[in-house]
Amino acid sequence: MDEVLNYSMNEMAGADFDCSCGRHHTLDIRHIIMGQGVLKELTKVLEPFSGKKVYMLSDNHTFKAAGDRVLSILEGEDYLVKNVMLDSGDDILIPNEQAVGTMFLNLEPDTAVIVAVGSGTINDMAKYMSARTKIPYVIVCTAPSMDGYVADGAPLILEGKKISFVATLPYGVIGDTDIMKQAPMHMIHAGFGDVLGKLTALADWYLAKEKVGEYCCETCVTLVQRALDKVTGSAEALAKRDDDAVLYLIEALTLTGVAMGLIGVSRPASGAEHMLSHYWEMDFIAKGKFPELHGIKVGIATPVIAEIFELMKDEVPKEAMKLAPSREYVEGLLKTVGAPVYPTDIGIDRELFYNSILEGYKVRNRYSILELALKTEKLEEIAAKITNRIYQ
C-alpha cells in the first residue's frame, strides 16, 4: 500500500495501487521519461505507431526550442508527419477560438498519434484535441514552466474567458533537461512560481477537509511535499540553470500532475492562489493586454494567499495552518530565483488587485481561505489591509 511513494519519477507511469486513503488509484499514462538527453527516447515511445500518420503541433517559439529536432527524428523514422506550427509572432500563443480552430482544421483523417512540442498552451491544446478525437498524444516538454503536462484539464480561452475543459492524460511525456534548461528564464520563473503555489494549495486542501469534510489523500500530499522540498532547497542553483535544479523543478511540476491524475481533481496543485491568477488573467485578456505567464501570476498570488492565512489564523484549523507558509518565506524564495514578487511587477493596478481578493472565490466552485474569510465577514477588511500595504 502507498508503494508509489517509493517510485522514481520515471516509474510513475501506469501506477496502479491501493492507497491508505481508502481508494484505489491508477494513472493512465504509458510513459514518463525525464532526464538529460532523453529526447532520443521518442522513437521508443512512438513505436506502436510506426509507419502511421503523426500530427505534430508546435508554435514558432517551441519549434525553434525542440520542434526542429523532433521533426527530424520523426522524418528519419519514416513517419507520415503533418507538421503544424502556429505562428504568434513575438507574442505568446493564446489558446482562443482562432488557435484551436486552426489546430483542428489541419487534422487529417487516419491520424494515429499527436506529438505536441511545447509547454503550457501547446500542451493544453493538444490534450483538448486528443480528448475530442480519441487520438492519443505525446508531449515533448520545452520548458519547466507549469504543472499541466500530466493533468487532464485544458484551460482554454472562450469568448474572452478562461475555461478549464475536461481533457485527457497524455500517452507519453518526454522532459529532456538539455532542452528545458535553455528555456527563457522567465519561463523557468513561471515553473518555480507554479510550484510555490502548491504551498498554499495544500493548506487550502486541508482547510476544505477540516471545514467542509472534503476528501483528502495523504499520499498525494506527501508526494507533492517531497517534490516541493527539493525545489525550494535548490532555489539558488535554479537561478543559475543548474541541471539538477531544473530536473527537480520539472519533476515537481510533473509529480503534482501525477497527484492530480491519481485522484482525478486538481486539489494537490490548485487553491486560492490560482483563483487570483485566473481573475487577473481574464481581466488582462478582456482589456487586450499581455496576460503574463500562468506560473508568474501564481507565484505572485501565493504570498498574498499566505498572508490571508496569517490574518485568518484564529479561524483556520491547526492542521491547515501548519501547512500554510509565511508571506515572507514565499517572497524570499521568489527573490532568490529573481522572479517577480509583487502584483505591481506585472502591471496589476490597485483596483484589479483589490477586486480580485473580494471576488476571486467566484472563479472556481471550490472551498478556500477566500470563502472562509467571506463567511466570517473578514474578506473586505483583509482586502483593504493587503491592498494598502502593497499600493502605498
Side-chain angles (χ1 to χ4, degrees):
M1 189 173 288
D2 295 354
E3 61 267 24
V4 72
L5 293 175
N6 299 318
Y7 290 175
S8 69
M9 182 71 262
N10 293 350
E11 292 173 331
M12 292 288 178
D16 188 322
F17 65 100
D18 290 320
C19 183
S20 59
C21 75
R23 297 188 181 185
H24 184 84
H25 297 316
T26 59
L27 185 67
D28 191 20
I29 298 176
R30 297 290 185 88
H31 303 276
I32 299 176
I33 303 175
M34 301 284 173
Q36 188 174 21
V38 297
L39 182 59
K40 62 181 181 292
E41 300 293 322
L42 179 61
T43 53
K44 174 183 174 182
V45 173
L46 294 178
E47 191 172 352
F49 309 101
S50 180
K52 298 179 181 180
K53 285 187 178 181
V54 176
Y55 181 106
M56 179 178 146
L57 180 70
S58 65
D59 65 24
N60 52 306
H61 304 293
T62 62
F63 187 82
K64 291 178 182 177
D68 52 352
R69 281 173 277 178
V70 171
L71 182 60
S72 178
I73 290 171
L74 294 175
E75 291 179 338
E77 294 292 328
D78 296 323
Y79 285 98
L80 305 173
V81 185
K82 172 73 172 184
N83 178 31
V84 179
M85 185 187 72
L86 303 174
D87 193 344
S88 62
D90 293 332
D91 297 326
I92 64 172
L93 181 66
I94 304 296
N96 55 17
E97 295 91 336
Q98 180 179 350
V100 173
T102 300
M103 174 181 68
F104 271 99
L105 287 171
N106 278 284
L107 181 64
E108 295 182 347
D110 302 320
T111 295
V113 64
I114 301 162
V115 176
V117 183
S119 55
T121 298
I122 289 293
N123 183 58
D124 290 334
M125 291 174 63
K127 73 171 67 172
Y128 179 78
M129 183 160 70
S130 175
R132 297 304 181 269
T133 61
K134 308 304 180 187
I135 300 171
Y137 90 100
V138 173
I139 178 68
V140 176
C141 314
T142 56
S145 55
M146 51 89 224
D147 62 12
Y149 287 120
V150 295
D152 61 1
L156 305 174
I157 304 299
L158 178 62
E159 297 178 349
K161 296 182 179 180
K162 188 166 189 175
I163 299 174
S164 186
F165 292 90
V166 175
T168 188
L169 295 174
Y171 177 86
V173 183
I174 296 178
D176 191 326
T177 56
D178 285 339
I179 294 170
M180 290 186 291
K181 74 178 182 180
Q182 299 302 324
M185 199 67 204
H186 198 59
M187 297 190 78
I188 294 175
H189 289 161
F192 187 75
D194 207 359
V195 166
L196 291 191
K198 315 319 169 201
L199 292 167
T200 48
L202 293 179
D204 255 342
W205 198 8
Y206 262 57
L207 179 67
K209 172 189 173 184
E210 297 293 331
K211 285 291 186 179
V212 295
E214 189 173 317
Y215 160 72
C216 182
C217 175
E218 295 289 346
T219 300
C220 288
V221 171
T222 301
L223 275 177
V224 175
Q225 283 183 316
R226 286 183 180 179
L228 267 170
D229 289 344
K230 292 172 78 171
V231 172
T232 56
S234 59
E236 290 186 10
L238 185 64
K240 302 173 184 176
R241 298 180 186 267
D242 175 80
D243 285 345
D244 287 340
V246 172
L247 180 60
Y248 295 155
L249 180 58
I250 188 59
E251 284 187 342
L253 292 165
T254 305
L255 270 172
T256 304
V258 167
M260 290 189 281
L262 290 173
I263 64 172
V265 295
S266 61
R267 265 298 188 186
S270 174
E273 73 295 323
H274 275 65
M275 297 177 191
L276 295 188
S277 171
H278 292 325
Y279 191 97
W280 300 336
E281 180 166 351
M282 289 188 292
D283 184 86
F284 275 30
I285 291 173
K287 293 176 179 175
K289 297 168 61 178
F290 171 62
E292 191 49 83
L293 297 177
H294 167 74
I296 294 294
K297 296 191 296 291
V298 170
I300 290 170
T302 300
V304 175
I305 298 303
E307 184 173 3
I308 296 176
F309 267 97
E310 291 175 328
L311 294 172
M312 289 288 296
K313 63 183 179 181
D314 292 338
E315 307 287 345
V316 176
K318 290 182 180 179
E319 292 304 311
M321 203 63 214
K322 285 179 183 178
L323 288 177
S326 70
R327 172 178 66 84
E328 291 81 2
Y329 173 70
V330 182
E331 289 180 350
L333 287 169
L334 290 169
K335 291 174 183 177
T336 296
V337 300
V341 179
Y342 306 108
T344 50
D345 293 341
I346 59 170
I348 295 172
D349 62 35
R350 183 187 185 98
E351 182 180 8
L352 174 57
F353 180 78
Y354 178 73
N355 288 337
S356 70
I357 297 181
L358 290 182
E359 301 177 356
Y361 71 93
K362 298 178 182 178
V363 170
R364 182 173 293 173
N365 185 22
R366 171 170 292 175
Y367 193 87
S368 74
I369 191 66
L370 294 175
E371 189 166 342
L372 178 61
L374 176 71
K375 290 184 175 180
T376 55
E377 300 182 346
K378 294 183 178 180
L379 190 58
E380 288 191 18
E381 177 187 346
I382 286 172
K385 184 170 185 175
I386 297 177
T387 301
N388 290 333
R389 177 181 62 79
I390 295 174
Y391 297 85
Q392 296 180 2

